[in-house]
Amino acid sequence: CVPVWCDTTQFGEMYNGFCKGVLWPIFHNVTGIYSASPEGLAESMHSLSPDSSSTSIGEGGEGGRSGSQPDSDTGMSDIAASAQFSDMTMDDVAAGPIHGDSGREAALWSVYTAINRQFADTIVQCFNEGDLVWIHGFHLLILPSLLTRRIPMAKIGLFTHTPFPSSEIFRTLWCREELLRGMLNADQVGFHLFEYARHFLTCCRRLLGLTYGMIPDLNGSHSLAIENNGRQVVVTSIHAGVEPPILNQFLCQTSTVEKTYEIRKQFAGKVIFCAIDKLESLKGIPLKLLGIERFLQRCPQWVGKIVLIQVGISAFEMGDDYMKTKNQVTSMAANINMRWPGTVQFQECSESEMRLPQRMTLLRAADVLMVTPLRDALNRIPLEFTMAHLDVLTEEGRNDGRQRGICILSEFSSTSRVMRGALHVNPWRISHIASAFQQALTMTQEERIRRATCASEFVTHVTTQRWALAVLLNLKAVQKDSNVGRSGVGLGLGYRILGMDSGYDTLDMNKVARSYKDSRSRLIILDYGGTILPNDNTDCFTRYQFVHKLRTPTVPDNRLLSILKELCSDNRNHVFVVSGKERHSLTSTLGDIPNLGLVSEHGMFVSWPAKKAGKRIWETTVPEQDKSWRSLAIMIMEVYSSRTHGSYIEETEMKVLWQYRDADPEFGYQQSRELEDHLSNVLREYAVDVLHGGVKEGGYVEVRPKGVNKGFASMHIIKNMAISNKIDFSLVIGDDHCDEPMLSVMRQIGRRAMEAKSFNDRTVLTPLPASVTPVDVSSTDPFVSSRLQTYTATVGKKPSASANYLNDVDDVHELLECLNRMSARDHQFYSSIDLTSMTYPIAGSGLSGVKKTGSVQFLSGSNSETITANVTRQVSLVSGFLSSEGVNPAKVEKQTSNTLADYLNTVEDDDDDDMFF
């Protein structure tokens, strides 16, 4: 055991101030914006009970009432709902202990993060590679973020022993995103019940826009996981148990047997109801007392025959709530005992005075256990009570004359899901608690045995050891694939881990520029919005404005237009801008740039580069087809739009989309799945694709002509470009999910070129990552050189099919300007690499490379290109020696370097002139 030494003041503020004062009520679904008045709550609750009633509980559950007796359940629930036992809801919108991110709240949050950092420092010091890090409790929710930054190879599990609130409650926290991201930086998040896991999943979906589902594991089964930035966070729900051997050891001790006998002797002839609760509002002790009071009023024949031993454990950390609850319970117990003496035995003790040995003694002496919290997670007392009375299943235990072994459990306790033999009650309804008293006292021996048998199944099979083993095996099975890199982004507590392919790094502009310089036929494909222009779809409202033409979209500025014009001016470049926008939109912004190809609507239309600016000629990439599907699709989408608030229809020339990014995330997603199935069935006879995409961005359902996407458009461009040389350089840049098909296709085309080259070199290539969607690209082979150098990048550091990424749009502009400088430099300056390509007089060859006019002849296999200063530049390879002179280069003798030019021919110069890049 390695202790973490914390400052006592800091730890107290963290535990009592933030954990108990802020997180505890939120995690138990308690919050409010109006201060409640707790004074008189006990009296109000007490006054709601009938003054007298001699009718026993009979059919209908609540029994008869006098003609003038009102139903108190409604009044009780109203007061309880408004008060919520008040102290933990005494917060104000601006100044309460729950809301706000300044003042006292900010100080508590700072202490919480400081304590978490101290834990992180200690763990890092003790960590060895291969260790499992298992974090427990809501006190250390941001610890995974602090650990993954420093020990990314560690497998980190987080298990919370409290309930997890619904998204509507959790979102009231000002630090909600930090807490969620902290939890998601773990590899596994565990809860005792799926109910809590479901709330956690919903919070991730609604607040962070993440998706979740079942993923396969190494054992051939599937695990529930959240998709978070390219990595999966496993979510488990396994309830903890107890250790029967340890409990049996305490039960067999002489002191336990003697004290049990003393308690039974003290309350001889009575049925003992037992309850052990902390003195805080969430434990529902006042409701329990109201329940026994209601029962004795309606069943007076049991007066003097039952006793409730209520043990209250001091909860000083709850502050005023503890004192108010204690005073309330003391007052109510005194009132009940005043009317029916000896009915309630209330005793307060510290937690150290009610350890496992003391608990087992009391539980063994009791006949019925009552656990009625308003909201509770892990509570092992029902499990311990079942173990204490496990002998009731034996012949000896059945004949001891005691009506024992039954638990009365609140529906809001986690053990109610695993203790099937218990009596489940709604603690907010007093009549349910009263009925549970009556049912426990009048239960037949056979039913009691059946219930005890059901309860014992979980206790004996799911032990603490098996629970821990199951969770740790689940954590150990988490795969941190060596082919998947772990990269962190964000500052402070916004730090998060991205799961990306190994080697996924920023695009090396120098490397791109070198390949660009050495190539002779280049293909450059650029996405439009978000790549060469800032993305207009920054939020849902902005997107809605653009769709309904309520806002003017961003247009290219003079700098971008100048970059594209200069890039297209190089006759070795074939530049295309691919966009999801309509034809008229691209034509109005980029249509005047010569030699620029345009592709609209994700590849449906293409306008080939033209040397002179003029009217754009567009052609479709797929044959013209029947468009009657549009009216059917729109009609169906209108039905779903009418019943899904926040959804709307977006129409373009060739596609129809149903956007639900503004709708409720859960309901919108359900409706989209139903719409997707509906459209697929209705439009199955048409040549269209029904696509469900963009779930992370909000989501849409799209109907478009079959086979049209940016990947298909890329292949179409390569196969139909009018070029004389095969492509030996390609640069493809996108920014979102719509560009992933294009990036996948180009990476696979580049891979085929590498495979053709490696076949001769006998080199082994690493397989493409799983993010690349397999597509048959063999049809492009005749148009691609085996020396092809392919570069793919996405804008923004995120999981992608691209090989690299660029940080933002400015980086894209910088890269394109760098390429333009390379083209301009080719026309103005020459390095030693260029000089080695020059030809000079060669003895006996009859060739003269240096003309008297001072012009320089660059070797060419076809036609030569004349440039400024009467210089001719090489266009292809040394095979150009087969010129009009008819000399075989194989017969040219190697000469001694007599001149500077000859000497340079013998030097391998790797000067990359990075200063230009």
Side-chain angles (χ1 to χ4, degrees):
C1 177
V2 179
V4 179
W5 301 107
C6 302
D7 180 78
T8 54
T9 303
Q10 273 195 335
F11 186 82
E13 291 183 352
M14 185 274 290
Y15 184 80
N16 298 323
F18 189 79
C19 294
K20 288 295 186 178
V22 176
L23 295 184
W24 183 262
I26 288 292
F27 274 52
H28 289 79
N29 276 351
V30 177
T31 186
I33 59 173
Y34 299 107
S35 298
S37 178
E39 291 76 8
L41 179 60
E43 291 76 6
S44 300
M45 300 171 103
H46 183 75
S47 65
L48 286 171
S49 301
D51 292 332
S52 62
S53 177
S54 60
T55 305
S56 300
I57 298 177
E59 297 180 2
E62 296 192 19
R65 300 184 178 90
S66 61
S68 61
Q69 176 61 46
D71 184 0
S72 62
D73 288 336
T74 302
M76 171 62 211
S77 61
D78 290 342
I79 291 182
S82 63
Q84 287 284 316
F85 300 108
S86 75
D87 186 59
M88 282 177 287
T89 62
M90 290 184 63
D91 59 286
D92 196 79
V93 174
I98 294 177
H99 299 278
D101 58 353
S102 61
R104 177 63 176 163
E105 295 81 7
L108 292 177
W109 173 249
S110 176
V111 172
Y112 182 78
T113 58
I115 297 297
N116 275 257
R117 286 193 179 94
Q118 292 186 40
F119 274 84
D121 293 338
T122 304
I123 292 173
V124 171
Q125 293 173 9
C126 302
F127 178 80
N128 295 310
E129 189 169 357
D131 292 346
L132 300 179
V133 181
W134 195 14
I135 303 169
H136 288 263
F138 67 106
H139 317 84
L140 302 170
L141 293 182
I142 62 175
L143 182 55
S145 286
L146 304 175
L147 291 178
T148 52
R149 185 193 297 266
R150 301 169 66 180
I151 45 175
M153 77 293 296
K155 294 183 178 181
I156 302 174
L158 172 66
F159 204 100
T160 61
H161 301 284
T162 56
F164 199 87
S166 67
S167 60
E168 296 304 311
I169 300 295
F170 187 79
R171 71 192 308 161
T172 61
L173 280 171
W174 78 89
C175 52
R176 59 192 187 185
E177 286 87 2
E178 289 82 358
L179 293 176
L180 282 181
R181 290 198 178 101
M183 299 176 71
L184 290 171
N185 276 326
D187 299 296
Q188 177 207 56
V189 181
F191 303 91
H192 286 291
L193 294 180
F194 179 73
E195 174 187 347
Y196 310 149
R198 178 171 53 83
H199 288 163
F200 174 70
L201 295 172
T202 304
C203 286
C204 293
R205 176 73 182 93
R206 288 177 174 270
L207 301 180
L208 300 181
L210 304 179
T211 59
Y212 55 87
M214 305 301 292
I215 61 171
D217 55 25
L218 294 179
N219 300 323
S221 58
H222 290 74
S223 301
L224 180 62
I226 299 176
E227 178 72 24
N228 181 32
N229 296 313
R231 52 187 288 268
Q232 285 80 34
V233 180
V234 177
V235 179
T236 62
S237 53
I238 306 175
H239 200 286
V242 293
E243 285 297 314
I246 297 177
L247 300 184
N248 288 329
Q249 181 180 353
F250 283 111
L251 289 172
C252 295
Q253 291 179 355
T254 304
S255 59
T256 302
V257 175
E258 292 176 353
K259 292 179 181 178
T260 299
Y261 176 76
E262 293 176 1
I263 296 174
R264 294 295 307 171
K265 184 179 179 181
Q266 180 182 356
F267 301 105
K270 294 184 179 182
V271 178
I272 301 177
F273 288 79
C274 170
I276 304 175
D277 303 289
K278 277 198 168 186
L279 288 174
E280 59 175 303
S281 302
L282 286 172
K283 299 304 178 182
I285 302 177
L287 297 177
K288 189 186 308 176
L289 298 179
L290 289 175
I292 192 173
E293 183 182 25
R294 172 76 66 86
F295 168 71
L296 292 178
Q297 287 174 347
R298 295 186 175 181
C299 302
Q301 67 271 22
W302 287 100
V303 173
K305 298 180 181 180
I306 65 172
V307 60
L308 172 62
I309 302 178
Q310 175 65 61
V311 177
I313 299 177
S314 303
F316 297 103
E317 68 274 9
M318 300 309 298
D320 292 341
D321 178 68
Y322 156 65
M323 295 302 301
K324 292 173 183 177
T325 302
K326 175 184 175 180
N327 295 335
Q328 188 177 358
V329 172
T330 302
S331 174
M332 295 180 71
N335 291 335
I336 294 175
N337 288 330
M338 186 180 300
R339 186 170 184 179
W340 301 292
T343 299
V344 178
Q345 300 292 324
F346 172 64
Q347 179 182 356
E348 182 184 1
C349 65
S350 64
E351 192 168 0
S352 61
E353 296 174 335
M354 192 51 63
R355 298 295 188 185
L356 184 58
Q358 293 81 15
R359 290 202 306 269
M360 295 307 297
T361 298
L362 183 57
L363 295 177
R364 176 64 179 175
D367 299 306
V368 181
L369 175 70
M370 296 195 69
V371 181
T372 58
L374 307 181
R375 186 74 172 170
D376 201 4
L378 180 60
N379 189 339
R380 287 195 174 99
I381 293 179
L383 309 179
E384 295 170 355
F385 176 82
T386 301
M387 281 300 305
H389 294 273
L390 205 59
D391 62 329
V392 77
L393 301 178
T394 64
E395 189 66 27
E396 181 181 356
R398 295 175 186 175
N399 298 326
D400 62 0
R402 295 174 58 186
Q403 299 173 328
R404 63 189 177 100
I406 294 299
C407 292
I408 299 176
L409 285 182
S410 166
E411 296 174 356
F412 305 105
S413 174
S414 66
T415 49
S416 65
R417 305 295 192 276
V418 297
M419 299 284 289
R420 293 177 295 172
L423 297 175
H424 298 164
V425 298
N426 177 5
W428 290 104
R429 189 166 185 180
I430 307 305
S431 59
H432 276 194
I433 300 178
S435 297
F437 274 99
Q438 188 264 349
Q439 190 176 355
L441 292 170
T442 60
M443 187 179 296
T444 63
Q445 182 76 358
E446 291 77 11
E447 184 180 357
R448 182 177 288 104
I449 297 301
R450 287 196 301 269
R451 288 181 176 274
T453 302
C454 290
S456 66
E457 290 179 359
F458 178 83
V459 176
T460 55
H461 288 84
V462 182
T463 63
T464 303
Q465 184 177 0
R466 295 187 64 178
W467 165 76
L469 180 62
V471 177
L472 290 177
L473 286 177
N474 199 342
L475 174 60
K476 189 176 182 180
V478 171
Q479 290 299 305
K480 290 203 168 181
D481 193 348
S482 59
N483 293 326
V484 177
R486 292 293 190 269
S487 179
V489 296
L491 300 175
L493 293 177
Y495 180 83
R496 56 193 183 276
I497 294 294
L498 305 182
M500 297 175 293
D501 306 326
S502 59
Y504 187 79
D505 204 349
T506 54
L507 186 62
D508 188 344
M509 295 189 184
N510 290 335
K511 185 177 180 181
V512 174
R514 286 193 292 268
S515 298
Y516 177 88
K517 175 184 176 182
D518 297 336
S519 59
R520 294 297 174 261
S521 181
R522 307 158 182 156
L523 174 63
I524 301 173
I525 301 179
L526 307 171
D527 176 50
Y528 187 67
T531 302
I532 60 175
L533 272 183
N535 197 344
D536 285 332
N537 300 327
T538 54
D539 53 56
C540 297
F541 179 65
T542 304
R543 171 76 180 186
Y544 180 85
Q545 289 179 307
F546 285 130
V547 170
H548 291 81
K549 297 180 175 55
L550 302 176
R551 182 173 179 173
T552 304
T554 304
V555 296
D557 56 14
N558 293 332
R559 179 196 175 194
L560 176 58
L561 294 176
S562 175
I563 291 173
L564 292 176
K565 289 178 180 178
E566 187 174 353
L567 193 65
C568 295
S569 64
D570 192 329
N571 57 14
R572 291 172 292 179
N573 293 345
H574 310 282
V575 185
F576 287 83
V577 173
V578 182
S579 173
K581 292 183 174 293
E582 297 180 82
R583 291 185 287 180
H584 65 83
S585 179
L586 287 180
T587 302
S588 62
T589 56
L590 302 177
D592 295 334
I593 299 179
N595 296 321
L596 176 64
L598 301 178
V599 180
S600 68
E601 300 216 29
H602 300 295
M604 185 63 200
F605 300 101
V606 59
S607 175
W608 297 103
K611 291 185 177 181
K612 294 182 179 181
K615 184 178 180 180
R616 282 279 175 174
I617 300 177
W618 293 87
E619 63 181 52
T620 59
T621 56
V622 296
E624 291 290 340
Q625 54 186 330
D626 181 13
K627 296 184 181 180
S628 59
W629 58 267
R630 289 177 60 89
S631 58
L632 291 173
I634 293 174
M635 181 175 61
I636 295 173
M637 289 179 179
E638 286 176 345
V639 174
Y640 285 83
S641 294
S642 64
R643 65 189 191 192
T644 309
H645 298 298
S647 64
Y648 56 90
I649 300 174
E650 179 180 348
E651 297 183 53
T652 66
E653 188 175 355
M654 292 300 296
K655 63 180 184 290
V656 182
L657 294 90
W658 184 75
Q659 295 277 3
Y660 64 94
R661 61 176 64 204
D662 293 333
D664 179 270
E666 297 292 329
F667 183 66
Y669 182 74
Q670 293 175 1
Q671 292 292 93
S672 68
R673 295 297 300 271
E674 184 178 344
L675 174 61
E676 183 182 6
D677 292 339
H678 195 165
L679 290 171
S680 299
N681 291 330
V682 173
L683 304 178
R684 61 180 179 273
E685 301 298 332
Y686 295 90
V688 295
D689 287 328
V690 179
L691 307 175
H692 189 184
V695 177
K696 294 181 180 180
E697 292 78 17
Y700 62 85
V701 176
E702 178 181 355
V703 183
R704 65 167 71 160
K706 196 173 189 62
V708 174
N709 58 58
K710 291 187 179 181
F712 166 79
S714 302
M715 296 175 61
H716 182 81
I717 290 172
I718 293 175
K719 292 187 292 185
N720 292 274
M721 282 194 310
I723 56 177
S724 56
N725 298 322
K726 293 183 178 182
I727 298 172
D728 58 359
F729 173 89
S730 65
L731 172 65
V732 183
I733 308 176
D735 77 299
D736 60 13
H737 66 280
C738 296
D739 302 315
E740 293 302 303
M742 175 176 67
L743 297 169
S744 291
V745 164
M746 294 308 299
R747 283 197 73 177
Q748 291 174 83
I749 291 175
R751 170 50 66 95
R752 287 183 66 86
M754 294 174 63
E755 289 174 348
K757 184 178 180 181
S758 64
F759 179 78
N760 299 326
D761 299 342
R762 299 184 182 276
T763 58
V764 179
L765 300 176
T766 58
L768 287 173
S771 57
V772 177
T773 305
V775 178
D776 182 12
V777 296
S778 58
S779 58
T780 61
D781 290 349
F783 310 95
V784 174
S785 171
S786 61
R787 300 184 304 275
L788 173 66
Q789 296 291 323
T790 301
Y791 299 93
T792 57
T794 186
V795 178
K797 189 176 183 180
K798 56 183 177 289
S800 172
S802 63
N804 302 99
Y805 70 91
L806 293 167
N807 291 314
D808 49 33
V809 175
D810 290 337
D811 278 1
V812 178
H813 293 172
E814 183 180 349
L815 174 61
L816 299 181
E817 287 178 332
C818 173
L819 301 183
N820 285 335
R821 287 196 296 270
M822 290 303 302
S823 296
R825 177 175 172 275
D826 278 351
H827 293 279
Q828 299 177 26
F829 306 102
Y830 299 95
S831 67
S832 59
I833 298 178
D834 300 324
L835 294 176
T836 59
S837 302
M838 298 180 181
T839 61
Y840 291 89
I842 301 176
S845 66
L847 295 176
S848 178
V850 182
K851 299 180 182 180
K852 294 181 179 180
T853 57
S855 62
V856 181
Q857 177 68 40
F858 281 79
L859 303 178
S860 173
S862 56
N863 56 345
S864 58
E865 182 181 350
T866 303
I867 57 177
T868 309
N870 197 20
V871 176
T872 305
R873 185 170 51 81
Q874 176 185 351
V875 178
S876 62
L877 300 176
V878 181
S879 58
F881 271 114
L882 297 178
S883 60
S884 58
E885 301 291 340
V887 179
N888 187 346
K891 297 181 180 181
V892 177
E893 297 180 359
K894 185 175 181 180
Q895 300 295 320
T896 303
S897 302
N898 296 320
T899 64
L900 176 61
D902 291 339
Y903 172 75
L904 290 176
N905 271 327
T906 66
V907 177
E908 294 183 1
D909 192 301
D910 293 329
D911 179 22
D912 297 323
D913 301 304
D914 290 346
M915 60 182 294
F916 291 97
F917 311 147

